[in-house]
Amino acid sequence: MKTYVSLNSGKQLLAGLLCCLCGIAQADFLPEAIQLHGFLTQGFFHSSNNNVYGQSDDGISPGLTEIGLNAAYQPFNRLRFAVQGLYRRGGAVDDSSVRVDYGLADLTLLTYQSGQVGIRGGRVKIPFGLYNETRDMPFTHPTILLPQGIYFDRSRSLLRSADGGSFYIDQRTGYGNFAFKFNVGIPLGNNQEIRSTILGPNAHGEFDALPGFATQLNYEINGGEYVFAVSYMDLELDYRPWTGEPLASGKAHIQPLLFSAQYNGEKFTLTGEYDYRWNELRDFGPYVPNTKNVTESWYIQGSYQLLAQLQATVRYDVLYADKDDKNGVKAAARGLPSHIAYADDWTFGLRYDITTSWMLRADYHRVHGTAWLSQADNPDRQQTVQDWDLYGLQVSFKF
């Protein structure tokens, strides 16, 4: 639903709150040509063991809060500007940060009968899989948590967007529609979770992302009834150790290749994605030996529209941190629990659209393994438990 600046009092109140949080002018002072949208979501979590978004183990954590405000302005037919500010609190990984999620200029270079060619510049969303470009908008999720084997929440700041540019082509044919994107830029994000995940809890320096690229080819049949995509990223990080730290100035190299497929029927949606991710660590010194390994993950997911406002989703999600160590033997040899090397996750979710603006979600996860758990929320890996249950409840509003 498109909402322009002439908002009613309730929307003005939320817009004012969002504007204050995101550093954008109050809605009453925006030109009428600007389209303004926003959302607010609050999640609550309980787990039988381990922590998700704060202290959820044997308690209830209100640790996931997201507030977003986005604006778009199109002064000319071929030129469009868009920006989104985001406030996010996501447990110890993302502690009450406010940032510009994206901010870009979109210029259409060429328009013809069957397609268009264009470029985008600024802070641009990274095209990866079916959900990465919209992962900060809860109404686009199939469940509260995206499949964690592919869309890690603990490293989302690195994979969300980049400062740079994007070249894109949209082409319609008699056999379906093609969309191609090629992004070049510097990814965002240098948080403790990324550092700890790659180097361990004793690392105290900082990672600097180097210019990288991401590309995606998308193919749709029958207006999106069938969707196929292949995505690839090449990311490299330089490590700057603290003075006196035993680690040297090493590099981390990450190259994920993701295949996606989706069927969208009248009431039933079937989705599957498979990720093959090359990882390399080098030049960190004797405490972190040079290593190369491959992370493998995939999921299969089905959603069914039970009623006009009620949808059910079932998903099976698999992650192996090292495809050659699926049982965690290497982790155990380093004195760590073997279950940090894998995670199998059965998810059952319900979505109820109260109105076009309000949504309520409930999820249940039965998880075997802890490979995608946040170390910031679980600093002592020895205390994590292999088999655990996770319950989630989320309420969301948009305008």
Side-chain angles (χ1 to χ4, degrees), residues 26-27 196 275 287:
Q26 290 288 342
S196 298
D275 185 30
Y287 293 96

Side-chain angles (χ1 to χ4, degrees), residues 39 43 243 267 365 370 375:
F39 62 86
T243 302
K267 291 188 175 182
H365 298 253
T370 60
Q375 190 168 338

Side-chain angles (χ1 to χ4, degrees), residues 373-386:
L373 264 185
S374 158
Q375 190 168 338
D377 286 319
N378 302 272
D380 188 352
R381 293 187 177 185
Q382 300 292 348
Q383 298 298 316
T384 57
V385 177
Q386 175 180 259

Side-chain angles (χ1 to χ4, degrees), residues 358-377:
W358 288 93
M359 177 187 67
L360 184 65
R361 271 208 173 104
D363 284 1
Y364 166 70
H365 298 253
R366 177 59 179 173
V367 191
H368 174 72
T370 60
W372 54 259
L373 264 185
S374 158
Q375 190 168 338
D377 286 319

Side-chain angles (χ1 to χ4, degrees), residues 205-224:
E206 293 185 351
F207 271 116
D208 291 325
L210 301 179
F213 72 89
T215 186
Q216 182 181 79
L217 178 63
N218 183 282
Y219 174 54
E220 295 187 0
I221 305 174
N222 294 339

Side-chain angles (χ1 to χ4, degrees), residues 36-183:
L36 185 68
H37 306 271
F39 62 86
L40 183 152
T41 185
Q42 176 63 53
F44 302 89
F45 298 91
H46 165 75
S47 53
S48 60
N49 296 284
N50 309 321
N51 289 314
V52 175
Y53 294 122
Q55 187 65 39
S56 64
D57 183 8
D58 292 331
I60 296 177
S61 169
L64 179 60
T65 305
E66 293 176 301
I67 303 174
L69 179 71
N70 59 76
Y73 176 55
Q74 187 165 354
F76 307 105
N77 288 338
R78 294 192 175 189
L79 180 62
R80 174 177 172 269
F81 298 96
V83 63
Q84 175 165 288
L86 182 71
Y87 165 86
R88 190 172 195 271
R89 179 172 61 95
V93 176
D94 205 341
D95 188 15
S96 302
S97 61
V98 179
R99 56 181 170 265
V100 176
D101 188 32
Y102 61 82
L104 57 92
D106 186 331
L107 176 64
T108 304
L109 300 176
L110 177 64
T111 301
Y112 49 98
Q113 186 175 2
S114 58
Q116 64 178 359
V117 178
I119 56 173
R120 299 183 178 103
R123 180 161 294 178
V124 183
K125 303 289 282 186
I126 295 175
F128 187 67
L130 299 175
Y131 299 113
N132 196 59
E133 290 179 283
T134 60
R135 66 186 302 167
D136 289 318
M137 304 175 68
F139 283 81
T140 66
H141 292 197
T143 50
I144 299 174
L145 296 183
L146 288 171
Q148 289 299 293
I150 295 175
Y151 302 97
F152 293 101
D153 261 17
R154 68 187 186 191
S155 57
R156 67 193 304 279
S157 60
L158 179 64
L159 305 178
R160 187 185 70 253
S161 53
D163 290 337
S166 175
F167 171 78
Y168 65 89
I169 301 174
D170 297 323
Q171 178 66 52
R172 298 181 297 274
T173 74
Y175 305 98
N177 300 332
F178 293 87
F180 173 76
K181 298 175 183 176
F182 186 85
N183 287 32

Side-chain angles (χ1 to χ4, degrees), residues 184-261:
V184 177
I186 300 176
L188 308 179
N190 172 41
N191 60 31
Q192 177 184 350
E193 185 67 24
I194 296 172
R195 183 176 65 239
S196 298
T197 300
I198 295 177
L199 299 179
N202 295 321
H204 301 290
E206 293 185 351
F207 271 116
D208 291 325
L210 301 179
F213 72 89
T215 186
Q216 182 181 79
L217 178 63
N218 183 282
Y219 174 54
E220 295 187 0
I221 305 174
N222 294 339
E225 182 179 4
Y226 297 93
V227 180
F228 303 94
V230 58
S231 311
Y232 175 76
M233 286 193 290
D234 191 293
L235 305 175
E236 193 165 11
L237 306 173
D238 271 349
Y239 184 69
R240 292 186 290 111
W242 278 12
T243 302
E245 187 176 349
L247 297 181
S249 301
K251 293 182 180 294
H253 195 192
I254 306 167
Q255 299 168 286
L257 176 63
L258 178 61
F259 300 93
S260 311

